[in-house]
């Protein structure tokens, strides 16, 4: 198409599965296929996705694109769904106008008409004409603007029920009859909390705004008036043609129209989308290719690509992807809500009691109220008319009393707790991120804390479900064994590490990764004759051609004369195979969409790629149709063994087949990933038949995927068995030790793998998931019946083992279950009638349903990570998609151990204590207020000044609990790692449970009684004034709750000291300041009362009497019913003193 | 919340390149690794017993001293509200509200023990809720302090204005000021009651203005209590200042004055009092109190007894814990007590 202005009567291409394009772009110049890397110095391009992703550096070749996920990569051929534009120059693409969630998830579906988007290529005005409303390409990730900040931020903050509660109370307080606090004092705590959060939000938003600005003002080359001109990103419109050169980032989602490669191939890197750094192939739409290449011939030397902007601004994939993971709630917080409700009930009870008593009092004094000095219902100021003053009848008075009581006692629900928890989590996250034990030196990957509200869940994990590949393993595949034509070649120990350099055009090309070779196989390839040698050659030919690997050539830093070949591709297995092939003399030198060039023992050969059937999970195999130099056409297939064994030529030599099967079995037992390789020569007729079917299928509008699968299945049959390969995916460092620790800590570890069962079990042993003592229960069922039987048998075995083992109720067990059986179990679980053995349900539901507080580290399974209570991403090779969906991300699986056993334990213990303490601390205060109310005619007077009431939970007592919750450690790292069983404390909820809650609330009542009644009894019938007594109570409460905290602090460092004692001093200072204001009734009271000895005597008495029960209970608990943590602390202390002596 | 955190906390892994390599590793410090030097106290038996003993040792003597001090205080309490109503008056309320009936009443007090000067004269009111919400709010501190703010009476209702002009001092508290008076005769000699310095100095100097004079006070239809001399500034109206320090509890004493004469045991003191104040309307009691004072204040055995009790309890606890520790000793930090060692599990 010649984009100039002949304005086209556009035609619509109805697209069945046209998906949003991900088009890719930047690529190495594919014309001469192995592209040289421009320079090792890396231009870091940051893409738009950055703001949500963090800085992901992309390497030179990276085209960071805003679109293109892995799921869609299968569909790169979708361009073909455009109808031929024929002679008409204009083209219209019909694309989904809005992306649905399912599309985002990568699934394809047919578009409905109203979802279609018409794009007139190079005619932005028309494309954007009404009714189409496409956003411009400006990206806004900010939530607020200056105008909307306050309303919007408040709106969001008030999503929390607690804040609404406090707001209602503050509003109620403004009613004159209910005014408990002065208007300022009543809104201060809420305003403080909202303000802190708002400042934080504003700062974050400002940072987003700045990065938006940077992005929006970058320039791209856009086709305007016949030339490509620089245009700012934010001005790009749908329908415009955009040119991107190598190493640039795509400004928006585009449909690829042309590239510098004559075949229209572009290679893109999607690191900013999913973090995958390998190159992906995208094809330009065939019918659009020729013209632009001509028109823009001048640009041929550069790697470039032209695309038409299709999705811009907020429609782009990156923006849609950046919505983030669903927010989760920690288990502790859920439990906390239960106790919050208990407190609310207590609050209502207190208020009802007060209003009831007030009603009785008013009733009893009904006839006196008019004149008694302290009530004076009647207003005589107008002598002619005596009215009631501020009196609405006893009933109304009772209601008012109730509401005033709620306002007065509102801190029973601790407002500061919510903000404290947030601060504490930030603090804990800081320490997790800073922990050098969670830093991955190899990958320079820091621990990432992406979710800030489930830190404490890390201390309560009961189940770990782990992906295998890339999580337990490095995801760095190594070719280890080959079985060729029934012969096993796995003796690589003797072989040298051979990169097998080849010379091309006078340049020495050396594969980046060297692979050890088996000398026998090497010899066979070089000099062998006979069927076996032929099979071996075809075997490697398959390895080197049947893949989507792109060779990339870069300078060799070690040897300037040589170049390094790096194989880039989506599958690490394919990379390993191609490297292996190179080591055995079959070096892939160049790949385009139409052919590959392979250096076979120094001899360059060109293989035409006539067709390619991608891997899919139904067929579990991939095949290519290759036109060989000798003019034969061959089908090369590689695939999973079970999918391949069914389609081999039955007439083949069964010895070979059996031998290969044996080898496959032994490879699996070693934990290797196996692939079976097969081939078939195609006759001309077969090829043509295939080609017709293929063309038809690939241009089908509907159900193209299924048709293509059908074509593939037709051709992939009667294969000649060439052999099998065994690839090792090495376990990451420390995985066996980590799994062993996790098992010791009482966590049930599940590993999910797509490997064969033998492979799975052998890996289970090698990563110490399985041990020899374990009784293995294997369930492989093909039917509901057998599945049920398997379960019954399993239960029988378990019961028998239980009865046999006398010493302990615990029997080491392992359950190995395959996917089909799981499906049956879940089916039956839903339908109880199929399941007579209810015990079976409990067994398995325990395993699978009771995932409460489970953890899911995984490298790539996004939905599982999101489903899990805690999702942990491994920021490894497979990319960042998992990381972006995760709650925490780390570099290595083994970091799970310090993360859970150390940080998780600490976080849980700290948070649990903090919540309990906050409940206790506020309840104590409320109870003190309540006791006093009983002596004021039930009128909700407080002796404590309103300012102290307001500041109590925000300033007087807030800092120490936050500091302690961030810094206190019940046990040291060494101890926690040495005794993984200590983790059980979190699993058993030892730091926060209803018993502890009741315990500490009892303490709270006792302490409030001592705080109130000791001064009360001492000052009864004295001249004490309200302000002085109030000050004494204020100081008593603050000192008492701080000492309570101090008594529970386990590790005292200088920060803790400062916080706790500093708070008490700060309180004293605040009280003094308040009492220095002459217009407050309590003026000078604190100075006066502090001058009396009685004050100090009472303060001491209150503190001692208040603390005795807590102290005694603690002494008894720690000595006579010690828990594991207590014992471990003592061990730690004696060890420390031991160390000191040495 | 969590979503927002994403942007700021994600560090990105990627393939780090040379220049940033060194900067990514968290810097080691004792703080970031949570290894600050710390003291880890443990409640060992030694500690527990020592703490209880220490508290006992401190509390018992303090208790004894306080109790002795309290016992040394000589206190004469005389309830006169009922006694001062003439026997023929059955309606006490009518009696007190009738200004034509003379309210003078004579009481004779016997001194139980020697009383050393200064002897404090208090009046004690029972069942008078000076801490009632309606009452404590009914005052204007700005008006008391500043002559220019005399009209600041919004908080004083229903005693804020009379006939449209502001009352100074306004509010229920001031209005209800106590107005019984006492005159003492001892050995046929008048005992002067020193009424100076009965209020807080800080109140006189800063809270009650020296240029604020009573105005329209007690002029309403309902007289609450004492009338104030409109020529004396509030800062010198010490009875008012004392009264306006509202009591914390419904039974309270207020200082009336001091008698600067020693009284001997079995002396009699005759009190001539004007029984003006109306506590009959709400069943309150009025008492006259003469009391000496010690370092701990007035008579109150509670503190001493409380200290003795707590001290005794602590000795008992120290003893009990010693016994418990002897009966059920446990070696500290013995790994055999760990739960998984107690019931050896064959994992």
């Amino acid at each position: 198409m010649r984009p100039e202005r002949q304005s086209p009567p556009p035609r619509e291409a109805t697209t069945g599965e046209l998906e949003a394009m991900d088009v890719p772009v930047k690529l190495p110049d594919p014309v001469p296929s192995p592209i040289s890397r421009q320079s090792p110095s890396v231009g870091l391009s940051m893409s738009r996705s950055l703001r949500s992703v963090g800085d992901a550096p992309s390497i030179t070749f990276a085209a960071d694109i805003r679109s293109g996920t892995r799921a869609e990569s299968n569909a790169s051929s979708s361009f073909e769904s455009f109808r031929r534009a024929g002679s008409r120059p204009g083209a219209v693409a019909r694309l989904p106008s809005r992306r649905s969630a399912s599309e985002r998830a990568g699934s394809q579906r047919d578009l409905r008409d109203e979802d279609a988007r018409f794009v007139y290529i190079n005619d932005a005005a028309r494309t954007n004409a009404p009714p189409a409303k496409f956003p411009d390409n400006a990206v806004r990730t900010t939530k607020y603007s200056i105008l909307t900040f306050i309303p919007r931020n408040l709106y969001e903050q008030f999503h929390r029920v607690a804040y609404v509660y406090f707001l209602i109370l503050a509003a109620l307080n403004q009613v004159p009859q209910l005014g408990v606090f002065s208007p300022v004092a009543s809104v201060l705590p809420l305003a403080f909390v909202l303000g802190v959060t708002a400042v934080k939000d504003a700062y974050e938003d400002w940072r987003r705004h700045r990065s938006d600005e940077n992005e929006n003002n970058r320039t791209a080359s856009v086709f305007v008036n016949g030339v490509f001109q620089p245009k700012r990103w934010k001005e790009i419109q749908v329908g415009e043609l955009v040119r991107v050169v190598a190493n640039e980032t795509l400004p928006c989602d585009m449909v690829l129209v042309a590239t510098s490669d004559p075949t229209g191939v572009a290679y893109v890197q999607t690191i900013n989308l999913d973090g995958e750094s390998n190159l992906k192939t995208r094809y330009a739409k065939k019918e659009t290719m020729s013209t632009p290449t001509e028109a823009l011939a001048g640009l041929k030397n550069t790697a470039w690509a032209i695309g038409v902007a299709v999705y811009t601004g907020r429609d782009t994939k990156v923006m849609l992807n950046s919505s983030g993971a669903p927010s989760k709630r920690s288990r502790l917080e859920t439990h906390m809500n239960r106790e919050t409700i208990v407190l609310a009930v207590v609050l209502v009870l207190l208020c009802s009691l007060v209003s009831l008593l007030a009603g009785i009092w008013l009733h009893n004094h009904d006839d006196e109220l008019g004149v008694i000095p302290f009530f004076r219902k009647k207003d005589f100021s107008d002598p002619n008319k005596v009215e009631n003053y501020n009196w609405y009848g006893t009933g109304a008075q009772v209601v008012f009393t109730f509401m005033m009581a709620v306002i007065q006692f509102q801190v029973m629900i601790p407002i500061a707790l919510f903000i404290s928890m947030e601060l504490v989590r930030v603090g804990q996250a800081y320490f997790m991120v800073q922990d050098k034990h969670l830093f991955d030196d190899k990958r320079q990957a820091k621990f990432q804390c992406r979710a800030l509200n489930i830190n404490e869940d890390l201390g309560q994990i009961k189940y770990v479900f782990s992906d295998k590949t890339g999580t337990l393993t490095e995801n760095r595949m190594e070719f280890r064994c080959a079985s060729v034509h029934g012969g096993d070649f796995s003796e690589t120990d003797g072989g040298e590490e051979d990169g097998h350099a080849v010379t091309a055009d006078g340049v020495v090309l050396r594969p980046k990764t060297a692979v050890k070779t088996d000398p026998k196989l090497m010899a066979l390839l070089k000099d062998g004759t006979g069927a076996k040698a032929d099979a071996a050659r075809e075997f490697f030919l398959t390895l080197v051609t049947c893949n989507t690997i792109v060779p990339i050539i870069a300078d060799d830093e070690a040897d300037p004369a040589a170049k390094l070949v790096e194989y880039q591709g989506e599958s690490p297995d394919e990379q390993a195979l191609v490297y292996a092939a190179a080591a055995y003399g079959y070096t892939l030198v160049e790949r385009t969409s139409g052919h590959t060039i392979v250096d076979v023992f120094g001899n360059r050969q060109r293989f035409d790629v006539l067709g390619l059937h991608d891997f899919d999970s139904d067929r579990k195999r991939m095949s290519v149709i290759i036109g060989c130099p000798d003019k034969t056409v061959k089908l090369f297939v590689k695939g999973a063994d079970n999918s391949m064994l069914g389609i081999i030529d039955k007439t083949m030599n069964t010895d070979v087949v059996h031998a290969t099967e044996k080898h496959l079995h032994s490879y699996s037992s070693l934990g290797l990933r196996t692939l079976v390789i097969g081939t078939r020569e195609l006759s001309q007729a077969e090829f043509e038949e295939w080609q017709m079917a293929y063309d038809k299928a690939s241009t089908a509008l509907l159900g193209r995927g299924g048709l293509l699968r059908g074509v593939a299945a037709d051709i992939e049959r009667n294969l000649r068995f060439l052999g099998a390969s065994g690839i090792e995916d090495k376990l990451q460092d420390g995985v066996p030790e980590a799994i062993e620790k996790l098992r010791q800590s009482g966590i049930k570890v599940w590993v999910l793998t797509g490997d064969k069962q033998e492979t799975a079990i052998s890996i289970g042993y090698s990563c110490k998931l399985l041990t020899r003592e374990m009784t293995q229960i294997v369930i492989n069922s093909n039917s509901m019946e057998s599945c049920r039987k398997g379960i019954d048998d399993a239960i029988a075995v378990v019961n028998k083992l239980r009865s046999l083992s006398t010493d302990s109720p615990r029997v080491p067990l392992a359950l190995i279950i395959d996917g089909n059986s799981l499906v049956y179990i879940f089916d039956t679980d839903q339908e109880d009638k199929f399941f007579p053995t209810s015990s079976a349900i409990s067994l398995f539901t325990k395993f699978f349903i009771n995932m409460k507080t489970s953890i899911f580290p995984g490298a790539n399974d996004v939905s599982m990570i999101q489903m899990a209570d805690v999702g942990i991403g491994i920021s490894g090779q497979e990319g960042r998609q998992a990381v972006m969906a995760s709650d925490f991300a780390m570099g290595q699986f083994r970091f799970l151990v310090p993360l859970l056993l150390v940080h998780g334990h600490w976080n849980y213990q700290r948070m649990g204590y903090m919540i309990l303490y906050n409940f206790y601390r506020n309840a104590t205060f409320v109870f003190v207020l309540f006791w006093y109310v009983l002596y004021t005619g039930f009128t909700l007077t407080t002796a404590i000044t309103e300012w102290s009431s307001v500041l109590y939970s925000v300033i007087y007592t807030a800092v120490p609990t936050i500091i302690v919750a961030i810094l206190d450690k019940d046990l040291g790292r060494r101890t926690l790692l040495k005794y993984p069983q200590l983790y059980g404390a979190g699993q058993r909820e030892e730091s926060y449970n209803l018993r502890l809650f009741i315990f500490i609330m009892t303490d709270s009542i006792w302490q409030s009684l001592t705080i109130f009644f000791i001064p009360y009894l001492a000052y009864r019938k004295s001249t004490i004034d309200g302000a002085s007594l109030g000050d004494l109570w204020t100081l008593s409460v603050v000192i008492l709750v701080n000492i309570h905290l101090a008594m529970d602090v386990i590790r005292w460092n200088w920060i803790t000291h400062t916080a706790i004692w500093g708070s008490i001093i700060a309180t004293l200072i605040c009280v003094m300041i308040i009492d220095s204001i002459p217009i407050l009734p309590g003026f000078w009271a604190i100075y006066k009362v502090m001058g009396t000895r009685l004050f100090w005597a009472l303060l001491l008495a209150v503190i001692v009497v208040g603390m005795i029960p807590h102290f005694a209970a603690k002494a008894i608990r720690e000595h006579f019913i010690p828990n594991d943590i207590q014992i471990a602390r003592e061990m730690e202390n004696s060890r420390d003193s031991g160390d000191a002596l040495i | 919340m969590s979503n927002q955190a994403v942007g700021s906390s994600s560090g990105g892994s990627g393939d780090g390149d040379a220049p940033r390599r060194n900067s990514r590793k968290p810097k080691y410090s004792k703080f970031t690794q949570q290894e600050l030097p710390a003291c880890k106290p443990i409640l060992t038996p030694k500690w527990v017993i020592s703490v209880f003993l220490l508290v006992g040792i401190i509390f018992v003597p303090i208790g004894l001293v306080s109790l002795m001090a309290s016992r040394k205080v000589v206190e004469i309490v005389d309830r006169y509200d009922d006694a001062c109503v003439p026997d023929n008056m059955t309606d006490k309320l009518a009696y007190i509200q009738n200004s034509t009936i003379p309210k003078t009443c004579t009481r004779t007090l016997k001194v139980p023990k020697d009383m050393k000067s200064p002897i404090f004269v208090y009046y004690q009111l029972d069942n008078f809720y000076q801490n009632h919400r309606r009452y404590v709010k009914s005052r204007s501190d700005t008006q008391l302090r500043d002559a220019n703010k005399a009209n600041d009476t919004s908080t004083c209702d229903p005693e804020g204005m009379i006939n449209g002009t502001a009352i100074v001092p306004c509010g229920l508290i001031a209005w209800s000021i106590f107005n019984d008076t006492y005159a003492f005769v001892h050995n046929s000699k008048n005992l002067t009651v020193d009424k100076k310095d009965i209020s807080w100095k800080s109140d006189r100097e800063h809270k009650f203005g020296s240029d604020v004079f009573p105005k329209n006070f007690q002029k309403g239809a309902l007289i609450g209590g004492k009338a104030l001399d409109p020529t004396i500034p509030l800062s010198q109206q010490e009875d008012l200042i004392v009264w306006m320090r509202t009591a914390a509890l419904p039974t309270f004493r207020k200082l009336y004055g001091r008698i600067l004469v020693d009284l001997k045991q079995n002396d009699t003191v005759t009190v001539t009092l004007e029984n003006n104040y109306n506590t009959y309307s709400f069943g309150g009691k009025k008492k006259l109190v003469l009391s000496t004072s010690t370092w701990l204040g007035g008579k109150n055995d509670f503190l001493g007894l409380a200290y003795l009790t707590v001290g005794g309890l602590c000795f008992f606890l120290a003893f009990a814990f010693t016994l418990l520790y002897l009966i059920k000793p446990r070696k500290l930090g013995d790994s055999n007590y760990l739960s998984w060692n107690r019931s050896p599990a064959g994992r």
Side-chain angles (χ1 to χ4, degrees), chain A residues 560-582:
Chain A
K563 296 271 188 192
L564 275 184
V565 186
E566 186 179 346
Y567 293 123
Q568 289 262 9
E570 293 176 36
S571 149
D573 297 78
E574 287 187 350
Q575 289 177 357
L577 293 175
V578 176
Y579 279 121

Side-chain angles (χ1 to χ4, degrees), chain A residues 257-275:
Chain A
V257 176
T259 74
S260 53
D261 177 74
T263 56
V265 177
Y267 299 93
V268 294
Q269 194 179 43
T270 54
I271 197 161
N272 284 332
L273 272 183
D274 55 19

Side-chain angles (χ1 to χ4, degrees), chain A residues 459-492:
Chain A
Q460 293 192 281
I461 303 297
K462 286 186 180 146
Y463 296 92
V464 169
F465 293 81
S466 171
D467 196 6
K468 196 201 85 188
T469 306
T471 303
L472 297 183
T473 64
E474 299 262 16
N475 203 19
R476 241 168 249 229
M477 309 296 169
E478 269 179 38
F479 183 86
R480 287 281 305 276
C481 307
S483 159
V484 177
H485 203 67
D488 176 25
F489 299 96
S490 44
E491 301 299 320
T492 56

Side-chain angles (χ1 to χ4, degrees), chain B residues 103-118:
Chain B
K103 301 291 181 348
T104 311
C105 168
T106 308
R107 308 283 299 162
T108 309
L109 308 178
K110 191 161 175 235
V111 179
K113 273 189 194 161
D114 289 359
M115 294 175 85
K116 280 237 178 336
S117 128

Side-chain angles (χ1 to χ4, degrees), chain A residues 55 143 375 389-390 444 449 910 932 940-941 969 1018 1026 1052 1078 1083 1097 1118-1119 1124 1130 1133 1136, chain B residues 4 9 11 20-21 24 33-34 39-40 131-134 159 175 207 245-246 248 300 307 330 333 339:
Chain A
D55 46 345
K143 277 183 153 159
F375 200 94
Y389 165 70
N390 202 4
Q444 293 293 304
C449 207
R910 291 162 173 173
Y932 186 60
L940 299 164
T941 322
K969 302 194 291 184
W1052 284 92
F1083 178 64
E1118 291 190 354
H1119 200 268
D1124 293 339
E1130 290 165 5
N1133 267 27
D1136 287 358
Chain B
Q4 302 165 10
S9 58
R20 25 168 59 204
R21 189 146 283 197
R24 293 184 69 87
Q33 301 307 310
Q34 308 192 59
C39 147
K40 302 177 281 184
N131 57 13
H132 195 284
R133 177 159 207 101
R134 281 172 83 98
E159 274 302 319
W175 169 77
K207 205 158 170 47
R245 272 274 149 201
T246 52
N300 191 339
Y307 265 82
R330 176 171 76 82
S339 61

